[in-house]
Amino acid sequence: MSSHIIIHPVTTKAQLKSFVELAYQLNANDPHWVPPLKSEAYGLLNPKKNPFFEHANVQLFLAEQNGEIVGRISAHIDHLALEQPVEQGFGPGTGNWGLLETANQAAAAALIEAAEKWLKEQGMHRVVAPISMSIWEEPGLLTFGHDHSPTVMMGHHNREYQGWIEAEGYNSVKELTTYELQIADGLPPLIDRIVKSGERNSKLKLRKVDKSHFDRDAKIIMDILNDAWSDNWGFVPLTDHEIEHLGVSLKPIVYEDLIMIAELEGRPVAFMMTLPDLNDRIKDMNGKLFPFNWAKLLWWLKFPKSPTMRVPLMGVVKDLQNSRIASQMAFMMIEYIRREAVAHYGATRGEIGWILDDNKGMMAIADAIEAKINRVYTLYEKPI
């Protein structure tokens, strides 16, 4: 009886604090885990700050063993995901859990069981997990690439979680891959020829985003994104409030020469967003900005230097996706941003992802620039 696990729904501020702090405790000895800023960790779980709650029901759980908190999990239902076609991954009756952190397999099993029970009580009959918490935040469990730290806005998980989750009857439904490449010495000669060919097309124009018109360009990018990704597995449209929230969150790490919009005959048709690796700067802060880390971070944000750049988002409008000019625009944006990243930010390495395992177009682009898979995140499903 001394090892009996008790599951508690999170209902108090003290329990919420335990939920957040547990991740820092359990991952303290993992040299590759990057502690998120605690303000962001709490903000993710705050219905007043995270617009995900406007279209989702969420319940957090803690696992207690021998008087200590040994695990946590979130269970959630995204009502916008319920409205999506079943063949695209979600659809009616599909709920999620995420934010799993646990000290042992028994606690993991008890937490997953509690999340499934809650989802069933809400009328769900299928789980896709882990997702923390929106599909636009941190989808999937890291199943390959534990030997290095994640870049900005990416997750990192205990390698034992894979076996513990699969032991509960979960099967892989989708893999998300991240590609890395060395960028300091340029791209293969073929890409250079493609870029020069695109530059001769008078109908095609590539421009940097303009932070003095940030709201305008953010809307252009999100409109392209919602169109470009609308047929993708797992797609859930961003609401206007989520787009606004995302813009506010990203603005401090948005640099004009690292984000490009492609226009064809004056029409915005593609974009590529690149971010300097903020994780490299905050890794040693242990989630704390005070008393002195805020000044270090502020200085870095003003004069960012980063050996690694991540491309989290890239898109081409649907009516051009299978065209020759789509790949041409992609290579041009990659090359133009590569030049800026190397010259002005000291970058030597790039990461592109996540990329769905059925996205043949992006895989072909990754192969062409000689990028290699360095991380894989797995999404699981289970009927309940």
Side-chain angles (χ1 to χ4, degrees), residues 66-245:
N66 298 329
E68 295 186 3
I69 300 300
V70 294
R72 74 177 201 184
I73 200 170
S74 63
H76 32 93
I77 300 167
D78 184 344
H79 293 281
L80 294 182
L82 299 184
E83 297 173 3
Q84 303 310 306
V86 174
E87 60 270 19
Q88 281 188 236
F90 295 131
T94 299
N96 315 110
W97 55 255
L99 297 174
L100 178 68
E101 297 286 358
T102 178
N104 57 63
Q105 184 172 1
L111 287 162
I112 291 172
E113 181 182 10
E116 291 173 352
K117 181 175 183 292
W118 182 85
L119 290 170
K120 287 179 70 174
E121 290 171 350
Q122 307 301 311
M124 301 296 103
H125 55 76
R126 175 174 174 260
V127 180
V128 173
I131 299 175
S132 306
M133 285 185 295
S134 161
I135 192 68
W136 292 100
E137 288 160 350
E138 289 186 9
L141 176 80
L142 181 67
T143 53
F144 173 77
H146 297 86
D147 57 346
H148 56 281
S149 295
T151 52
V152 59
M153 299 172 68
M154 300 186 76
H156 184 82
H157 310 110
N158 184 332
R159 68 175 68 242
E160 291 188 284
Y161 289 177
Q162 180 177 0
W164 297 351
I165 290 170
E166 292 175 0
E168 298 309 306
Y170 283 82
N171 296 305
S172 172
V173 66
K174 185 61 60 177
E175 287 189 342
L176 311 175
T177 55
T178 299
Y179 288 78
E180 68 173 345
L181 70 157
Q182 301 304 311
I183 62 174
D185 296 327
L187 300 177
L190 171 63
I191 308 306
D192 186 52
R193 292 196 295 271
I194 293 173
V195 169
K196 288 179 179 178
S197 173
E199 290 172 340
R200 292 193 292 269
N201 186 346
S202 61
K203 297 179 181 179
L204 181 61
K205 175 186 176 184
L206 271 64
R207 68 172 179 87
K208 303 173 184 178
V209 297
D210 184 350
K211 287 188 79 170
S212 65
H213 296 283
F214 182 79
D215 292 342
R216 178 202 66 191
D217 281 355
K219 185 178 186 307
I220 288 172
I221 288 172
M222 290 306 169
D223 285 346
I224 295 173
L225 181 67
N226 273 335
D227 177 70
W229 288 31
S230 59
D231 292 335
N232 285 2
W233 188 97
F235 174 78
V236 178
L238 287 162
T239 66
D240 289 343
H241 194 186
E242 285 176 313
I243 291 172
E244 178 186 355
H245 177 74

Side-chain angles (χ1 to χ4, degrees), residues 13-30:
K13 288 184 178 180
Q15 288 174 321
L16 180 63
K17 182 178 180 181
S18 295
F19 189 96
V20 171
E21 295 294 334
L22 184 66
Y24 297 83
Q25 297 166 16
L26 293 181
N27 293 292
N29 294 323
D30 186 338

Side-chain angles (χ1 to χ4, degrees), residues 9 12-13 26 55 81 102 210 252 260 283 297 358 365:
T12 69
K13 288 184 178 180
L26 293 181
H55 53 84
T102 178
D210 184 350
M260 303 211 74
K283 185 176 180 180
L297 182 58
D358 58 2
I365 289 172

